[in-house]
Amino acid sequence: MPFSEIGEAVMTDVLSDPISTNGNGTVQTSLSTAAARKLSSTTKSAPQMQAITPRWLLELLPWVEARGGAYRVNRRLTYTAGDGRIEFTTTGRQVRVIPAELTELPPLRGFDDIDALSALADRFVQHEFEPGETLVSLGSPMTEIHLIAHGRLDKLAEGKYGSQTSIGLLADGDFFGSQIFADTEQTWGYSVVAGTACTVLSLPKARLAELLENAPSLREHLRDHQARTGKAQNTDGEAAVTISSGHRGEVPISGTFVDYDLSPREYELSLAQAVLRVHARVVDLYNEPMNQFDQQLRLTIQEMRERQEHDLLNNAEFGLLHNASYKQRVYTRAGVPTPSDMDNLLNTVYKSPSFILAHPSAIAAFHDECNKRGIYPENLPVRGGSVTTWRGVPIYPSWKLPISSQGTTSMLIMRTGEADQGVIGLRKTGLNDEYEPGLSVRFMSIDEKAILNYLVTCYYSAAVLVPDALGVLENVQIGRADD
């Protein structure tokens, strides 16, 4: 067959071939994209991780080296024991104070006679109060100590012009009237009125006197406590330093010295660890275009840093939420965080506050209250974005602050740095096989399954140098029905 006839036959076959059609039935005239992708290389992202948060606390805390694996906070000797909070047990509607919890009362700190504490707990009487009822009145004799099992109460004092002024709030676990343990007659310097329905356990002074007659160990402990607290001290409870000033002539100048706490607290470094496992075949065969081990390690470290920030806030031993002094904790007046509540929070750390830390939902609730009042807080540019400020103090979000089942959370304010006697982060750098400051990645072994094992370790802790460096706004309601 002549060549021209062969070519004509081939063209006729191609044009009439029913296979060379696309999805809509028309004739395909070029290479399909599905076939072309077989020869192409896709552009890939690095592995993504939704759990990564900004971790502002890790960035904002000044980090101090704990060379010996621990950090000791030396303080001036303090005579006044910090006020703790009391816990209770509930059986139906019956509430009883846990005997060992009574040692949170300043006069009973360090008292370990459990039999005497149990007898004391049995002498408390349960009372129920409705909103608006007065528990104690200004100027009346102090004859009882009151423990708040549930509810919120207002402490009221007489203002300069005769009106009542709120001087504080009391809530679950708080108490007032512990001065009855002293062998002196005293009067109430304020009134206490129930703001909500309250359950209160009260101990009359007469019932305490009955117990003291049969509890010599308790009598001796209270006598020692009164002797300690009777020593000269400043308004913060620290041992007084005698200073002479304003004198003229040749007058004797008092000698003095600064006494130290003989039992300072030590913060040991905590740690987070994980064993990262990678198969040798994965590393050998699938290491391009991205290094498999590097990506596995990157995500593991991200998760470890998230745990680190979580522990700095929530760890029962050194977490900031658990280490704030109870005198540095304030309550919201109506649940939602109002500008007045934020001012009260600022007042707890009035000496050079560095920043406020709050859950994003709490910040949104605060914005809502500001909007209702026509207040528009200023913003501070950070990381290409911005954060809200209040009275010039930035408010940073943290998803690590817990939200209770009742929809409440806490907001923290702190002063940072050793020089300012503030809050500091603790770590140890210069570790063997250190990968990042305070974090090491150490090869362990290759097992019989050809799996490479790497130990990833991070050391950290936090310390509050003086109590007034950290304040907490508690019972912050993040959601409620519209008014």
Side-chain angles (χ1 to χ4, degrees), residues 272-276 300 304 444 454-458:
Q273 287 184 314
V275 176
L276 176 60
T300 300
M304 190 164 288
M444 296 173 60
Y454 293 85
L455 177 64
V456 185
T457 305
C458 182

Side-chain angles (χ1 to χ4, degrees), residues 322-345:
H322 298 278
N323 279 271
S325 169
Y326 287 111
K327 292 183 178 180
Q328 291 290 106
R329 299 172 185 262
V330 293
Y331 304 102
T332 57
R333 294 187 176 275
V336 290
T338 65
S340 296
D341 294 325
M342 296 297 286
D343 286 340
N344 288 338
L345 178 62

Side-chain angles (χ1 to χ4, degrees), residues 288-303:
E288 293 183 3
M290 297 182 191
N291 187 295
Q292 295 284 352
F293 172 73
D294 287 348
Q295 294 303 321
Q296 288 284 300
L297 180 60
R298 179 179 67 85
L299 296 180
T300 300
I301 291 176
Q302 290 284 355
E303 189 63 44

Side-chain angles (χ1 to χ4, degrees), residues 134-213:
T134 300
L135 280 73
V136 301
S137 300
L138 173 67
S140 62
M142 186 179 296
T143 58
E144 290 181 307
I145 178 175
H146 303 278
L147 313 180
I148 305 171
H150 178 69
R152 192 184 76 244
L153 301 96
D154 296 302
K155 293 175 65 177
L156 304 174
E158 186 174 342
K160 181 178 180 180
Y161 302 102
S163 60
Q164 285 190 324
T165 301
S166 175
I167 59 174
L169 294 174
L170 299 168
D172 302 9
D174 288 333
F175 56 87
F176 56 100
S178 61
Q179 295 89 335
I180 71 165
F181 286 96
D183 192 19
T184 56
E185 298 295 330
Q186 301 190 47
T187 59
W188 290 107
Y190 50 83
S191 299
V192 177
V193 178
T196 64
C198 298
T199 300
V200 178
L201 299 186
S202 303
L203 174 67
K205 195 170 185 177
R207 303 191 74 173
L208 173 62
E210 294 174 2
L211 175 62
L212 290 177
E213 292 180 0

